[in-house]
Amino acid sequence: MPKEISVHPKAAMVLSAGLGKRMRPLTATTPKPLIEVDGKSMFARAASRLKDAGLETCVVNVHYLADLVETHARKFEGMDVKISDEREELLDTGGGIKKALPMLGSDPFVLKNSDSFWLEGVRPNLDVLVEAWNDNQMDILLLLAPSVNAVGYDGKGDFQMDKNGKLERRVERSVAPFVYSGTAMIHPRVFSDTPEGPFSLNLLFDRAIENERLYGVEGDGLWLHVGTPQGLMDAERAIANSAN
């Protein structure tokens, strides 16, 4: 079946509004996206990947220590950085993206968590993600990491994936082979008929599963999740080892 989408996505959103509670005490005075991993802020790492993949617009939502995040994000060069202001109310992942939709446009866009990144393998994973998109079949495409060797992750996995890339949730009391890496490609149409105010992106994942339109693609390389101070140390150790 031919792909209906023929253009490379132009816009991306980096989720940057969270409170970073699991990163305390580091986040007492520094917002999580500004914490440095091996000398470079997590936001800068995320934005650099997007820039290298040819994205033109980067939308950044702000809430906790919002002025610091906004100032840091606006200094990033090479992309049109736009701020989605959640100072008055934290909107969670789904609600935050919904508020930013006017800045993201009507085409599929890339979503990126600031606290997750890859030590890339043979091919850049954003290229893998974009090339796997099929508008006829998908509403959401998740970049997945094997749960067995992810750095900074100790859960039981998130998804089962069939041979065609279609996803199902992990069955309760079981282990799933793949974890959502915090990077996805999403069509704005999934936000029709969604709640006003805060809601989780998981609502959209579950709706897409019901409609058989949630897909995944496995990333190449080593995925690093920096969710805690221990995760930060593990990530810096992995980076150092990769350079040797």
Side-chain angles (χ1 to χ4, degrees):
M1 185 179 293
K3 295 184 180 181
E4 293 178 357
I5 183 169
S6 59
V7 297
H8 191 286
K10 295 181 173 63
M13 183 168 184
V14 178
L15 294 175
S16 305
L19 302 176
K21 292 181 179 179
R22 295 178 65 223
M23 282 293 281
R24 290 176 178 168
L26 299 178
T27 49
T29 56
T30 302
K32 188 175 178 181
L34 272 58
I35 291 174
E36 292 189 353
V37 182
D38 193 38
K40 190 173 185 178
S41 76
M42 288 195 275
F43 170 79
R45 286 183 175 275
S48 293
R49 293 293 192 200
L50 296 168
K51 175 185 172 182
D52 291 345
L55 280 292
E56 299 172 4
T57 299
C58 179
V59 178
V60 183
N61 63 335
V62 298
H63 174 77
Y64 177 63
L65 298 176
D67 291 350
L68 295 178
V69 178
E70 179 172 354
T71 299
H72 184 77
R74 289 193 184 280
K75 290 179 180 178
F76 186 81
E77 298 180 349
M79 299 180 73
D80 179 17
V81 175
K82 299 181 178 181
I83 303 299
S84 182
D85 193 336
E86 296 180 32
R87 285 175 172 85
E88 293 186 2
E89 182 182 24
L90 184 60
L91 294 172
D92 204 345
T93 49
I97 300 167
K98 182 175 181 177
K99 180 175 182 176
L101 285 179
M103 291 180 274
L104 290 166
S106 58
D107 292 328
F109 60 89
V110 173
L111 177 70
K112 200 152 189 354
N113 293 352
S114 61
D115 61 359
S116 300
F117 56 94
W118 294 79
L119 299 181
E120 301 277 27
V122 176
R123 298 183 60 226
N125 280 310
L126 281 176
D127 291 350
V128 173
L129 181 75
V130 169
E131 290 176 17
W133 178 264
N134 186 329
D135 207 61
N136 292 300
Q137 297 178 336
M138 305 168 183
D139 286 333
I140 303 174
L141 176 63
L142 306 183
L143 184 63
L144 301 175
S147 54
V148 291
N149 63 349
V151 174
Y153 176 79
D154 58 3
K156 296 182 178 180
D158 297 322
F159 295 102
Q160 302 280 353
M161 180 166 60
D162 72 12
K163 64 181 180 179
N164 298 314
K166 192 179 298 181
L167 299 182
E168 292 286 346
R169 290 277 192 187
R170 176 179 63 84
V171 178
E172 189 176 356
R173 297 181 182 177
S174 69
V175 175
F178 296 106
V179 58
Y180 170 47
S181 74
T183 299
M185 195 162 166
I186 301 176
H187 198 292
R189 61 180 167 237
V190 300
F191 288 89
S192 62
D193 192 29
T194 51
E196 296 301 319
F199 67 92
S200 171
L201 194 58
N202 281 306
L203 170 67
L204 303 183
F205 290 174
D206 290 338
R207 286 184 178 181
I209 288 173
E210 290 177 10
N211 295 323
E212 299 187 341
R213 295 185 64 85
L214 181 70
Y215 281 75
V217 60
E218 183 176 351
D220 185 23
L222 183 64
W223 179 59
L224 312 178
H225 176 57
V226 188
T228 64
Q230 181 62 52
L232 174 59
M233 289 189 289
D234 292 343
E236 293 192 321
R237 187 179 304 113
I239 293 170
N241 290 338
S242 71
N244 294 334

